[in-house]
């Protein structure tokens, strides 16, 4: 038996705001809120499923530089252009990490500047 990623911890300055953003992006729900201000989000079935949950953990330190780890997301019910428009309306913004502009993906940043990529392929 191998390990499986069950949770990803994202330090951030406003856990509630990022949790709300990523719930909208991924179709997740808030699963738990801790006394320290941490917010856990995940799929309807909760912790332990095929998708890891995300825990937004409060920090007072601002994000500095490019992330060493980032999310890649794919639309599930629309094409890439329509999903890009939806993500921008949710608060994502274009991010420059040195791409040429010829890539088949879009580099975006969430409301706290964490980079993520919107890939072209549509997943079911």
């Amino acid at each position: 038996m191998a390990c499986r990623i069950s949770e990803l911890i994202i330090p951030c300055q406003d856990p509630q705001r990022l949790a709300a953003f990523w719930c909208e992006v991924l179709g997740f729900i808030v699963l738990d809120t801790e006394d320290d201000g941490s917010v856990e989000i995940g799929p309807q079935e909760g912790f332990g499923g095929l998708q890891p949950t995300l825990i937004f953990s409060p920090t007072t330190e601002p994000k500095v530089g490019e992330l060493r780890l980032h999310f890649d997301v794919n639309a599930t019910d629309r094409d890439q252009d329509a999903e890009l428009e939806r993500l921008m309306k949710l608060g994502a913004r274009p991010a420059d990490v040195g791409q040429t502009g010829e890539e088949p993906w879009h580099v975006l940043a969430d409301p706290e500047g964490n980079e993520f990529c919107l890939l072209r392929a549509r997943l079911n």
Side-chain angles (χ1 to χ4, degrees), residues 33-47:
T33 303
E34 296 292 329
D35 291 339
D36 71 352
S38 295
V39 180
E40 181 176 15
I41 68 170
Q44 293 280 341
E45 59 270 14
F47 176 82

Side-chain angles (χ1 to χ4, degrees), residues 34-94:
E34 296 292 329
D35 291 339
D36 71 352
S38 295
V39 180
E40 181 176 15
I41 68 170
Q44 293 280 341
E45 59 270 14
F47 176 82
L50 293 177
Q51 297 185 77
T53 61
L54 305 178
I55 298 175
F56 298 96
S57 178
T59 183
T60 57
E61 296 185 26
K63 176 191 166 289
V64 178
E66 186 178 327
L67 294 177
R68 296 182 116 191
L69 173 73
H70 71 267
F71 298 132
D72 286 345
V73 298
N74 298 72
T76 59
D77 61 353
R78 59 191 60 123
D79 67 21
Q80 185 186 42
D81 290 338
E83 184 63 2
L84 177 62
E85 183 178 330
R86 184 182 83 88
L87 294 174
M88 298 293 280
K89 286 180 181 175
L90 291 175
R93 60 188 187 280

Side-chain angles (χ1 to χ4, degrees), residues 93-115:
R93 60 188 187 280
D96 183 358
V97 295
Q99 64 270 34
T100 66
E102 299 300 317
E103 294 82 4
W105 61 83
H106 296 277
V107 181
L108 303 170
D110 71 14
E112 285 201 12
N114 300 304
E115 298 89 4

Side-chain angles (χ1 to χ4, degrees), residues 112-123:
E112 285 201 12
N114 300 304
E115 298 89 4
F116 67 100
C117 294
L118 172 62
L119 304 183
R120 182 184 304 176
R122 193 164 113 181
L123 302 177

